[in-house]
Amino acid sequence: SSATILSLGSLLSERSPQTARELRDRVIKERPEEAAEAHYQLAKIDFAAGQDGSGIKHLRTGIDLDPEALPLRYALAQTYEAAGSTDAALGEYLDILKIDTANTALMNHIGEIYFLKGRMDEARARFEDAHRLQPADPFSSQWLATDAERQGDWGKAADRLQLSSALAEDPGLALRLSYYQTQAGRLKAAVAVLEAAQARWPANDQIAYFLALGYDDLKDHDKAVKT
């Protein structure tokens, strides 16, 4: 049973890595259909021993045997990224995205790498992809809202942020959305955001304060005073 041999190898990896290595080598020789997984486990032994070069070779060999083996591909990309080889990591992540096409977290991570490299158009495109796929995704919503804020497009910033699922959990995000709405000239919408936030967090004094200011701007003096 190749599954049993691989499991035994995992159990022995820490206290007897050489025996674990021999077991994985046996799987590679005797069970070609499991060879990619065996190379993955050999890579983990190498990384634990500080032998990154050998570990990368095992991951590449495993990927050659099974091009759609996502654990191996992710391990390779993360290894490059941890080593500071950003371009190599980015190349691997882009290859993964061709297989794992609906992964919003991966799209966001690629977008973040592009952003850190100063490649704004490519970063924006990846966050847009993630947002289209999952409009409530908090990471892409917030990044795109901040991007629109940088460009002075307050309406677009509000439209992006108001879809975020994180609004139900973060009072600071509600305050930010109300600010965007106010800057966009949508005062009633801004007040509505703060009213919903106050209902959710009645003890939050900042929300109450800005809601009072909103009522005052709407010329609702009694509500402003009470709030």
Side-chain angles (χ1 to χ4, degrees):
S1 167
S2 55
T4 302
I5 296 170
L6 288 169
S7 296
L8 180 59
S10 295
L11 291 171
L12 292 171
S13 291
E14 191 170 324
R15 66 179 183 183
S16 184
Q18 185 55 40
T19 303
R21 191 181 298 277
E22 290 168 1
L23 288 168
R24 270 94 179 221
D25 286 339
R26 177 181 166 189
V27 170
I28 291 170
K29 292 175 183 176
E30 297 179 4
R31 301 292 177 89
E33 70 278 8
E34 299 288 348
E37 174 63 23
H39 278 290
Y40 177 44
Q41 294 193 14
L42 284 167
K44 290 196 285 187
I45 294 175
D46 287 338
F47 290 137
Q51 299 172 5
D52 289 1
S54 177
I56 289 171
K57 286 180 181 178
H58 277 297
L59 290 176
R60 288 211 164 278
T61 301
I63 290 169
D64 288 341
L65 292 169
D66 185 1
E68 295 194 0
L70 290 179
L72 281 78
R73 287 189 172 275
Y74 274 110
L76 182 58
Q78 289 161 4
T79 298
Y80 283 139
E81 191 170 7
S85 300
T86 311
D87 288 336
L90 180 59
E92 295 300 328
Y93 284 129
L94 289 170
D95 283 343
I96 293 170
L97 192 59
K98 294 173 186 175
I99 302 168
D100 199 7
T101 57
N103 190 326
T104 55
L106 176 59
M107 293 174 190
N108 287 332
H109 191 57
I110 292 172
E112 194 172 23
I113 292 174
Y114 277 134
F115 174 68
L116 293 172
K117 292 173 73 65
R119 295 163 66 174
M120 289 297 293
D121 289 343
E122 290 157 302
R124 192 176 296 113
R126 295 302 171 181
F127 285 116
E128 291 279 9
D129 288 343
H131 190 66
R132 275 192 295 271
L133 191 64
Q134 192 174 332
D137 172 54
F139 196 91
S140 58
S141 295
Q142 194 160 337
W143 191 94
L144 290 167
T146 302
D147 184 51
E149 179 185 353
R150 280 192 293 266
Q151 299 175 58
D153 191 338
W154 302 104
K156 188 175 182 180
D159 293 343
R160 298 297 194 183
L161 193 58
Q162 69 183 357
L163 296 175
S164 172
S165 62
L167 278 168
E169 304 166 5
D170 186 350
L173 215 55
L175 287 168
R176 186 173 169 188
L177 176 57
S178 71
Y179 172 70
Y180 287 161
Q181 297 283 32
T182 301
Q183 292 297 109
R186 306 171 182 174
L187 186 54
K188 288 184 178 179
V191 169
V193 168
L194 292 170
E195 286 176 331
Q198 190 184 47
R200 184 176 291 274
W201 298 287
N204 188 300
D205 61 329
Q206 280 197 320
I207 289 173
Y209 172 69
F210 285 106
L211 178 57
L213 294 181
Y215 285 142
D216 189 45
D217 288 338
L218 289 175
K219 310 303 181 186
D220 195 335
H221 181 73
D222 291 341
K223 277 188 177 180
V225 171
K226 181 180 178 181
T227 305

